[in-house]
């Protein structure tokens, strides 16, 4: 019987007043067929009993149903509470969770899952991944296994999820899937950092070790084994030799641990010892690792060791390079000064002397100019070897300049002993130096200064020795000259003149004067020689004999010579076609100018820029220069001749001339040196030489010019002997271009030739 039927029958039975009409009813019922009274009563009683039983059954059924309903309500309430607890639990779990049915549709999820996928539960319910605009890739996997997935949240944040999925069954009936994703991003990052740290620890080039509070090694990397030479088993549990008192300065170790305890860190240089016994310089950083009370760990020390052997070696090499000459390996000026200072200190203590010999090689610059710097380097190496062989083991020799050396003698030494050593150094240069197929004869000019007589300071000794060397170089090359006090003034003047010479060109202190060159046959002007003049603002005119050699030595002759060539060519161009003006200008060219690789290009450029015709320019060179490298000189002069530039050999006859080369050289003029012209009237031998030069020029079809002609008698003799041209005060002094004019010649007096009886 259903609950509805019970609800209908029970109220009806209770509401019907059946006991009021019991008798009538009984009678009617008992005797429907007209039964007798006794039978009716029996029938009525049976009917009452049956009704009571039925009523009891109904009441019992009603009561049991009410109990069942109450229990059902309690179960539903408990179920709602459990579901609420479960929902609260799911919402409280920070890990993303979701439920899917057997068809893969979402049945539920927690807020953490909503945050990861960027969609609410209401949007996900009943939908599969394929129905979503941006489905999460990590939820598509249906197999029940554990995987790691990197996902990107809607805000762009990347997470690493450890996803665990499980299938749900009910008596082998597949109901769906449940999954939990644990955010392990920080764990993965920590593991990655730990992996990198382990890789660095294992493969780092620096040695790393961890020691306990007793300084016993707890852990180390392979690099430490490489530095010390010990294997891992030999080092574990041992106190590093680096921290032992016997291996390090106790005071240094004490300061090290004091800094570690005070600051938690120390860095500095220590010396470790390799297993083979060799010392290894290392740069050490010691860091104090505090104790971890939570894990009951004691204090530890982390040490990082860097092998700085190569750095030390490089430092030593750099120090050696800074104190030694790169080419010869000799001490340089810086180290020399230190050695002289130490020798002076020893001499003061022992009351002895110190000798300083300043050496300059004679003729070395010609080696560079002729054969190049490679040959020059070889010459210096050979010279160094010779000097070292002469020296005593206690003496020092240093290279202080391109071709300058200094020798320091100490102990029982005096001027005589030092002079004898200087002579041996000079003798060491007597033998020619052979480089390839070339032989070079070099000499040595040496200056000597003694401590304490010639100076008590390093600079004084070097300066005075150099001054003595300059005197030897100027007055008597290939000798030893001792310092004398008067030399200091000479050196000072030379220094001041050099300084002034460097600024003279920029300050426009130079000017050119032109001396006429005339034809002896008719006195006609044929040209002029450009002569350089220097007027100092305070010292006044300075003789060319004083500053030209200085310009040659310092190399300033190159820019000065270019300026002279430019000015002379420009003036020659302006004079072209003007009556009474020279149509040809002669310019002296130094040896250093001609040896410049761009000399021909320089001449071409100047001729083009100034507009000077090539035939209006004559270059004067010395015969000694041409014979130093005759083949190269022939090639150079040939290039000039091909352009129309004339070449004259200046001061001809003062040096050694090779006629075999002279006839091959494309020169046009020979200039008789003024020393021969000035002595024509007093020395018959000189006159014979002058006549020979003229005859030689004639035989070679060359013009002859005599310079330094000062008298009419000299001019007449030269004319009579067949000399072509002449220049000198007899025809005009050097004069500025704007004042240039050929003086009128006075009639020549009849010469008195009785003193010119020539051979």
């Amino acid at each position: 019987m259903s609950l509805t039927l019970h609800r209908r029958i029970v109220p009806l039975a209770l509401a019907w007043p059946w006991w009021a009409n019991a008798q009538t009813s009984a009678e009617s019922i008992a005797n429907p067929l007209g039964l007798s009274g006794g039978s009716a009563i029996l029938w009525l009683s049976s009917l009452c009993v049956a009704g009571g039983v039925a009523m009891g059954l109904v009441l019992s059924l009603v009561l049991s149903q009410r109990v069942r309903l109450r229990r059902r309500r309690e179960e539903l309430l408990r179920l709602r509470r459990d579901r609420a607890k479960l929902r609260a639990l799911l919402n409280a779990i920070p890990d993303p969770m979701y439920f899917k049915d057997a068809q893969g549709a979402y049945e539920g999820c927690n807020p953490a899952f909503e945050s990861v996928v960027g969609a609410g539960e209401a949007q996900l319910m009943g939908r599969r991944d394929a129905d979503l605009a941006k489905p999460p890739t990590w939820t598509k996997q249906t197999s029940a296994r554990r995987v790691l997935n990197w996902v990107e949240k809607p805000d762009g944040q990347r997470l690493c999820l450890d996803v665990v999925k499980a299938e749900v069954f009910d008596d082998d009936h597949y109901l769906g899937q449940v999954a939990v994703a644990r955010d392990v991003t920080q764990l993965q990052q920590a593991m990655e950092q730990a992996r990198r740290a382990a890789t660095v620890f294992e493969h780092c080039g620096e040695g790393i070790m961890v020691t306990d509070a007793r300084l016993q090694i707890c852990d180390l990397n392979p690099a430490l084994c490489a530095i010390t030479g010990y294997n891992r088993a030999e080092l574990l549990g041992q106190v590093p030799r680096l921290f032992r008192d016997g291996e390090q300065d106790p005071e240094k170790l004490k300061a090290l641990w004091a800094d570690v305890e005070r600051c938690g860190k120390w860095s500095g240089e220590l010396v470790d010892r390799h297993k083979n016994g060799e010392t290894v310089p290392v740069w050490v950083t010691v860091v104090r690792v505090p104790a971890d009370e939570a894990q009951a760990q004691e204090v530890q020390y982390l040490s990082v060791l860097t092998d700085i052997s190569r750095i030390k070696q490089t430092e030593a090499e750099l120090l050696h390079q800074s104190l030694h000459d790169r080419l010869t390996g000799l001490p340089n000026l810086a180290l020399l000064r230190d050695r002289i200072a130490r020798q002076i200190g020893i001499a003061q203590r022992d009351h002895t002397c110190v000798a300083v010999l300043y050496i300059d090689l004679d003729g070395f610059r010609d080696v560079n100019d002729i054969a190049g710097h490679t040959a020059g380097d070889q010459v210096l190496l050979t010279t160094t070897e010779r000097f070292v062989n002469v020296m005593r083991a206690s003496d020092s020799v240093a290279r202080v300049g391109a071709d300058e050396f200094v020798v320091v003698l100490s102990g029982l030494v005096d001027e005589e002993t030092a002079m004898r050593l200087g002579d041996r150094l000079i003798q060491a240069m007597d033998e020619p130096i052979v480089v390839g197929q070339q032989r070079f004869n070099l000499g040595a000019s040496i200056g000597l200064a003694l401590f304490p007589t010639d100076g008590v300071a390093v600079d004084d000794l070097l300066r005075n020795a150099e001054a003595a060397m300059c005197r030897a170089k100027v007055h008597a090359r290939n000798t030893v000259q001792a310092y004398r006090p008067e030399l200091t003034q000479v050196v000072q003047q030379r220094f001041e003149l050099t300084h002034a010479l460097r600024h003279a060109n920029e300050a426009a202190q130079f000017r050119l004067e032109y001396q006429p060159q005339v034809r002896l046959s008719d006195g006609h002007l044929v040209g002029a020689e450009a002569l350089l003049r220097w007027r100092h603002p305070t010292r006044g005119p300075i003789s060319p004999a004083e500053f030209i050699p200085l310009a040659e030595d310092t190399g300033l002759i190159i820019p000065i010579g270019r300026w002279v060539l430019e000015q002379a060519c420009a003036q020659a161009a302006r004079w072209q076609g003007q009556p009474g003006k020279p149509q040809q200008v002669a310019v002296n060219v130094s040896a250093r100018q001609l040896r410049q690789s761009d000399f021909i290009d320089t001449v071409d450029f100047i001729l083009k820029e100034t507009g000077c015709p090539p035939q209006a320019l004559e270059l004067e060179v010395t015969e000694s220069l041409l014979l130093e490298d005759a083949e190269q000189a022939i090639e150079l002069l040939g290039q000039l001749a091909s352009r129309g530039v004339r070449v004259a050999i200046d001061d001809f006859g003062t040096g050694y001339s090779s006629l075999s080369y002279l006839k091959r050289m494309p020169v046009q003029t020979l200039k008789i040196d003024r020393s021969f012209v000035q002595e024509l009237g007093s020395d018959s031998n000189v006159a014979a030489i002058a006549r020979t030069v003229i005859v030689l020029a004639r035989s070679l079809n060359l013009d002859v010019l005599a310079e330094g002609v000062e008298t009419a008698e000299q001019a007449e003799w030269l004319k009579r002997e067949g000399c072509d041209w002449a220049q000198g005060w007899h025809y005009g002094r050097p004069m500025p271009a704007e004042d240039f004019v050929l003086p009128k010649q006075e009639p020549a007096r009849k010469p008195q030739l009785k003193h010119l009886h020539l051979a």
Side-chain angles (χ1 to χ4, degrees), residues 136-157:
T137 58
W138 59 279
T139 62
K140 294 180 180 180
Q141 180 69 34
T142 58
S143 61
R145 62 189 182 93
R146 187 172 185 174
V147 293
L148 287 176
N149 287 278
W150 281 94
V151 301
E152 185 173 345
K153 296 176 64 176
D155 59 1
Q157 181 184 2

Side-chain angles (χ1 to χ4, degrees), residues 113-309:
F113 184 82
E114 295 175 352
S115 174
V116 172
V117 300
E121 185 178 17
Q123 297 173 312
L124 297 174
M125 293 296 290
R127 303 177 69 180
R128 292 186 292 271
D129 289 326
D131 301 331
L132 302 179
K134 293 183 178 180
T137 58
W138 59 279
T139 62
K140 294 180 180 180
Q141 180 69 34
T142 58
S143 61
R145 62 189 182 93
R146 187 172 185 174
V147 293
L148 287 176
N149 287 278
W150 281 94
V151 301
E152 185 173 345
K153 296 176 64 176
D155 59 1
Q157 181 184 2
R158 283 180 55 80
L159 300 177
C160 183
L161 299 179
D162 182 8
V163 182
V164 180
K165 299 178 182 179
E167 296 177 343
V168 181
F169 291 90
D170 184 11
D171 296 332
D172 297 331
H173 178 66
Y174 180 67
L175 299 180
Q177 182 189 77
V178 61
V180 179
R182 173 66 56 85
D183 183 359
V184 293
T185 305
Q186 294 184 352
L187 177 61
Q188 284 296 111
Q189 293 174 346
M191 291 177 60
E192 180 65 20
Q193 292 178 356
R195 185 188 66 81
R196 288 197 296 265
T199 302
V200 171
F201 183 82
E202 190 71 16
H203 300 284
C204 180
E206 283 74 23
I208 303 175
M209 63 179 176
V210 179
T211 56
D212 57 20
R214 294 174 297 280
L215 298 183
Q216 296 176 346
I217 299 177
C218 304
D219 196 6
L220 68 150
N221 69 340
L224 185 68
C225 297
I227 293 175
T228 61
Y230 295 94
N231 59 39
R232 181 180 180 87
E234 292 174 322
L235 291 175
L236 286 175
Q238 300 296 320
V239 176
R241 301 181 69 172
L242 192 70
F243 298 145
R244 298 177 187 175
D245 291 341
E247 299 292 339
Q248 303 292 340
D249 181 6
E251 294 298 327
K252 191 169 188 177
L253 285 179
K254 183 178 179 180
L256 183 158
W257 295 117
D259 286 349
V260 170
E261 294 301 323
R262 182 176 65 256
C263 307
K265 180 180 179 181
W266 178 89
S267 293
E269 183 179 339
L270 296 175
V271 178
D272 203 354
R273 190 173 297 278
H274 196 271
K275 186 177 181 180
N276 59 15
E278 296 180 357
T279 58
V280 181
V282 290
W283 184 265
V284 183
T285 299
V286 182
V287 179
R288 183 175 183 271
V289 182
D292 189 346
E293 297 180 359
Q295 299 183 7
Q297 290 183 350
E298 60 183 3
V299 175
Q300 291 183 329
Y301 300 96
L302 175 66
S303 302
V304 180
L305 284 68
T306 303
D307 186 353
I308 58 175
S309 300

Side-chain angles (χ1 to χ4, degrees), residues 443-466:
S445 297
I446 303 178
L448 168 64
L450 289 173
F451 168 86
T453 56
D454 299 328
V456 295
V458 175
D459 291 337
D460 295 338
L461 288 174
L462 288 173
R463 183 177 62 251
N464 294 339
E466 184 179 10

Side-chain angles (χ1 to χ4, degrees), residues 402-481:
D403 59 343
E404 296 177 343
F405 298 82
V406 172
V407 173
V408 180
L409 310 177
S410 59
L412 299 176
V413 60
D414 53 17
E415 183 173 311
E416 182 180 355
T417 304
M419 294 287 281
R420 286 199 302 267
L421 177 61
D423 290 335
R424 291 202 301 271
L425 292 172
I426 293 174
Q427 293 172 7
M429 300 302 297
D430 288 344
E431 184 179 351
I433 297 177
V434 180
V435 180
Q437 301 299 323
Q438 295 175 305
R439 298 168 61 89
F440 299 100
N441 292 287
L442 277 69
S445 297
I446 303 178
L448 168 64
L450 289 173
F451 168 86
T453 56
D454 299 328
V456 295
V458 175
D459 291 337
D460 295 338
L461 288 174
L462 288 173
R463 183 177 62 251
N464 294 339
E466 184 179 10
M469 180 272 295
C470 292
R471 179 184 179 185
K473 202 168 187 66
V474 172
H475 297 285
R477 289 196 172 196
N478 222 28
T479 60
V480 183
Q481 295 289 324

